[in-house]
Amino acid sequence: MLCGGLFCTSALALTLEQAKQQGRVGETLNGYLAPVKQDAETLALIKRINQAREQQYQDVAKNNQVSTADVAKLAGQKLVSRAAQGEYVRGINGQWLQK
């Protein structure tokens, strides 16, 4: 299948929701995504999402005069607890669990 232009590329790009539903990524208690499956598309998505999260965590930390690590940890706890049924989360023991 041949595609031209940006529209086709973005239409084929993996979304975070799709990656979670497919069991390719999971939430961690440190506030960042981690790969459940190690393929190039998944790793690229994780890199992009985690960079955006890092920026958001830094902004919140600066505005609230707390550390970025503290903001990330709090966000991680919320993201893990809010994960939908069937999605993967990494427990405190470092093992993947499917909710």
Side-chain angles (χ1 to χ4, degrees), residues 30-32 49-73 75:
N30 68 9
Y32 298 96
I49 298 292
N50 284 345
Q51 286 174 340
R53 285 185 180 184
E54 176 74 15
Q55 185 60 54
Q56 288 181 324
Y57 297 159
Q58 287 174 0
D59 293 345
V60 170
K62 183 178 179 182
N63 291 336
N64 292 283
Q65 299 177 346
V66 296
S67 74
T68 301
D70 287 344
V71 172
K73 192 183 250 185

Side-chain angles (χ1 to χ4, degrees), residues 14 18-26 34-46 88 90 96 98:
L14 179 68
Q18 290 169 331
K20 284 182 174 184
Q21 290 172 350
Q22 294 171 13
R24 296 167 79 165
V25 302
V36 176
K37 297 183 179 175
Q38 301 279 335
D39 62 86
E41 188 177 28
T42 299
L43 296 175
L45 174 70
I46 288 171
Y88 283 90
R90 186 177 281 164
W96 287 114
Q98 193 171 19

Side-chain angles (χ1 to χ4, degrees), residues 27-32 53 57 69-82:
E27 294 291 352
T28 67
L29 292 169
N30 68 9
Y32 298 96
R53 285 185 180 184
Y57 297 159
D70 287 344
V71 172
K73 192 183 250 185
L74 181 60
Q77 292 169 354
K78 288 181 180 183
L79 290 164
V80 166
S81 69
R82 292 179 186 164

